[in-house]
Amino acid sequence: MIEREAKFRIGEVVKHRFFDFRGVIFDVDTTFNNTEKWWLSIPEAVRPIKDQPYYHLFAENEESEYIAYVSEQNLLVDTSAKPVRHPDVNQVFENFDGSAYAVRVNKTH
């Protein structure tokens, strides 16, 4: 299996290609790194391939905020220029510029 370089970067705000949610990327797996049960729970007609980057998102939809794990093939750049309201965003990121966040630098005193 050849590892591909990730198309999206940590801090970037993205949206799902088919489902109505968006989020900010906080981690990247170069290939699928979740359980077989999770992968098989996705309907076969829309189940993504495993041999591609997968992204961990602080995600949101109209009703809630949650953590999502999404294949690269199912992500698009979010062009809304709106910040993500997930409660953990400000613990990891700062300085939203309309398309991405900067990773927060931990300051020690």
Side-chain angles (χ1 to χ4, degrees):
M1 186 162 21
I2 299 172
E3 290 187 358
R4 295 181 8 201
E5 186 173 325
K7 176 180 177 181
F8 302 104
R9 68 189 190 286
I10 291 175
E12 193 167 359
V13 178
V14 293
K15 63 183 180 179
H16 197 280
R17 181 180 301 272
F18 301 112
F19 302 113
D20 191 22
F21 72 87
R22 60 193 290 273
V24 58
I25 297 167
F26 68 88
D27 197 10
V28 182
D29 295 333
T30 54
T31 59
F32 179 80
N33 190 24
N34 206 331
T35 66
E36 190 70 10
K37 181 179 179 180
W38 180 91
W39 189 74
L40 291 172
S41 72
I42 301 168
E44 192 172 352
V46 295
R47 190 178 299 149
I49 62 169
K50 291 181 178 180
D51 188 18
Q52 64 179 313
Y54 277 73
Y55 299 84
H56 300 260
L57 309 178
F58 291 131
E60 66 184 27
N61 61 26
E62 290 291 324
E63 294 83 37
S64 66
E65 298 82 32
Y66 51 94
I67 301 292
Y69 190 65
V70 186
S71 64
E72 186 169 275
Q73 76 186 62
N74 287 328
L75 287 178
L76 301 168
V77 171
D78 181 90
T79 57
S80 70
K82 295 179 183 175
V84 175
R85 70 176 188 273
H86 191 285
D88 294 338
V89 168
N90 290 331
Q91 294 175 13
V92 178
F93 300 107
E94 60 188 0
N95 301 330
F96 179 64
D97 70 5
S99 64
Y101 288 86
V103 175
R104 183 175 294 283
V105 177
N106 290 334
K107 297 178 180 168
T108 57
H109 297 278

